[in-house]
Every structure is written in C-alpha cells, then in structure tokens.
C-alpha cells in the first residue's frame, strides 16, 4: 500500500510476508521523516529487525502473521507526524 499522508514522498511496502521497505523523499524527508526509524520500529514491533538511511530502509518482520501490524505501525507513526 502507498501512503497518502505524504503523497509522492513516502512509500512503504511489504515485500512478501516477511520484509518491509520504506522510501522517503521530498517534503517528508525535509520534515524529518526517517525511513530507517520507521522500519526499525515497525520491524521491532513484530520481533524483527531493520533499519537503513533516512531516505531508504529495509527490514525483516519477525512473525509473518503480524505483517499488517508492522504496516499499521508505520501508518500510525506517519499520522502522528502529520497532525
């Protein structure tokens, strides 16, 4: 799913059942959104690990049954920053 909270600047996807990728650019990047932190926190919420640069990060979902939880974690973080 594509984030509409920061259109054309933040993209997050699950790759298969156990991987996440987040790309941040434009206005989201300049407003302090950090792809590495988003992935690290979302992966940790499922027992996985991840991280990367401010612009792009990847991580593993620890428990594949919690994939939706990881994606919702990212959405919630972006919503909190948008308000």
């Amino acid at each position: 799913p594509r984030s509409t909270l920061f259109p054309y600047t933040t993209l997050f996807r699950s790759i298969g059942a156990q991987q996440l990728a987040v790309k941040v650019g434009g206005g989201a990047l300049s407003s302090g959104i950090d792809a590495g932190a988003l992935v690290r926190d979302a992966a940790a919420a499922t027992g996985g690990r991840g991280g990367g640069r401010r612009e792009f990060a990847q991580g593993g979902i620890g428990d594949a049954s919690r994939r939706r939880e990881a994606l919702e974690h990212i959405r919630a973080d972006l919503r909190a920053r948008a308000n």
Side-chain angles (χ1 to χ4, degrees), residues 18 40-50 60-64 66 69-70:
Q18 290 196 261
R40 184 175 42 256
D41 294 346
T46 67
R49 296 185 335 185
I61 297 170
D63 177 354
R66 296 174 67 190
E69 183 180 336

Side-chain angles (χ1 to χ4, degrees), residues 40-68:
R40 184 175 42 256
D41 294 346
T46 67
R49 296 185 335 185
R53 300 183 318 269
R54 290 181 57 226
E55 302 86 8
F56 181 77
Q58 298 180 71
I61 297 170
D63 177 354
S65 69
R66 296 174 67 190
R67 176 180 161 266
R68 287 184 192 267

